[in-house]
Amino acid sequence: AQSVTQLGSHVSVSEGALVLLRCNYSSSVPPYLFWYVQYPNQGLQLLLKYTSAATLVKGINDFEAEFKKSETSFHLTKPSAHMSDAAEYFCAVSRPGGANNLFFGTGTRLTVIP
Amino acid sequence: EAQVTQNPRYLITVTGKKLTVTCSQNMNHEYMSWYRQDPGLGLRQIYYSMNVEVTDKGDVPEGYKVSRKEKRNFPLILESPSPNQTSLYFCASSLDRDDQPQHFGDGTRLSIL
């Protein structure tokens, strides 16, 4: 069965500091993995996706994530936080039946401190 | 402009009064789905549809119905709403079941009193 665990429901970083949001997954088949971002009062937007090609995936707004099979992790990072990065971030894993049939984590709210 | 449109954006209603949340996409997408978002639980899939007249249950389908009579529309129906269905609802669409990103609507906040 597929599942996703996001460690830390709230993360605070200073502007300019490294952003690290953690995601661990469980999957009975090789997974597709995704990070989505949700800004206040909006729907979700895809940040990046892993689909079994390169293990280091680059996304929009300088975010990237690394797929580590041995650790069953897909952590999201950004070298330097901007105020505009404040949002909620969701990790998701695909499940059998199609890559679009996603199971979402519980989300991590990122606060950026000026 | 490519978009997924949900209506209404906000609704306060009472227990037992049937309601429908509409979802429409203008991208000719085959795949559509409904999620509910609750604090601490993330997004959970309610129903999805792979094409016209093809729908299937997600993780939390109880108390909901859907229909897919046309490709562009995927309404979510609450026949007899209850307070535990108070939530933020999102509709999403994509070209097909293997396509990303899914395009999300801006959400519908339902309060059932």
Side-chain angles (χ1 to χ4, degrees):
Chain A
Q2 277 65 30
S3 69
V4 167
T5 301
Q6 290 185 242
L7 298 174
S9 57
H10 292 86
V11 170
S12 294
V13 300
S14 297
E15 192 175 14
L18 172 73
V19 175
L20 171 61
L21 305 181
R22 299 177 187 274
C23 172
N24 288 87
Y25 71 91
S26 170
S27 178
S28 56
V29 298
Y32 288 3
L33 292 158
F34 308 86
W35 275 100
Y36 278 85
V37 60
Q38 183 181 32
Y39 298 105
N41 298 314
Q42 293 185 28
L44 278 70
Q45 300 174 32
L46 183 69
L47 273 179
L48 51 81
K49 62 181 179 181
Y50 167 75
T51 56
S52 75
T55 56
L56 183 63
V57 182
K58 294 188 184 300
I60 62 172
N61 300 334
D62 295 328
F63 281 96
E64 63 180 36
E66 186 172 8
F67 173 71
K68 291 188 177 180
K69 185 177 179 181
S70 61
E71 299 177 8
T72 61
S73 69
F74 190 58
H75 302 331
L76 182 71
T77 60
K78 179 172 180 175
S80 176
H82 293 176
M83 296 299 295
S84 59
D85 294 326
E88 189 150 23
Y89 292 80
F90 292 93
C91 183
V93 63
S94 61
R95 9 185 196 186
N100 246 332
N101 203 2
L102 298 180
F103 186 92
F104 284 87
T106 53
T108 298
R109 183 167 298 280
L110 176 68
T111 299
V112 181
I113 303 165
Chain B
E1 179 189 353
Q3 57 185 2
V4 177
T5 304
Q6 296 178 225
N7 280 297
R9 292 291 314 279
Y10 304 91
L11 179 64
I12 302 173
T13 188
V14 295
T15 299
K17 185 177 181 182
K18 180 180 178 180
L19 68 91
T20 299
V21 184
T22 63
C23 174
S24 180
Q25 50 92 5
N26 62 0
M27 296 166 280
N28 202 35
H29 283 172
E30 290 185 354
Y31 186 97
M32 298 184 74
S33 58
W34 276 103
Y35 297 88
R36 61 178 288 175
Q37 183 180 9
D38 302 289
L41 296 177
L43 278 81
R44 294 176 293 167
Q45 191 178 56
I46 304 170
Y47 270 94
Y48 64 96
S49 169
M50 292 201 192
N51 214 325
V52 176
E53 303 290 3
V54 180
T55 63
D56 210 346
K57 296 177 180 178
D59 296 312
V60 288
E62 295 78 19
Y64 303 95
K65 286 175 55 178
V66 293
S67 69
R68 188 90 183 274
K69 294 186 171 65
E70 310 162 277
K71 186 179 270 192
R72 65 182 292 128
N73 295 322
F74 190 45
L76 179 70
I77 303 155
L78 285 71
E79 293 270 4
S80 183
S82 63
N84 65 12
Q85 293 176 298
T86 293
S87 187
L88 179 59
Y89 291 85
F90 288 100
C91 180
S93 76
S94 59
L95 188 60
D96 56 41
R97 72 176 199 179
D98 292 320
D99 175 52
Q100 289 289 345
Q102 292 192 61
H103 298 260
F104 280 80
D106 286 336
T108 295
R109 187 168 291 282
L110 286 183
S111 294
I112 316 293
L113 305 178

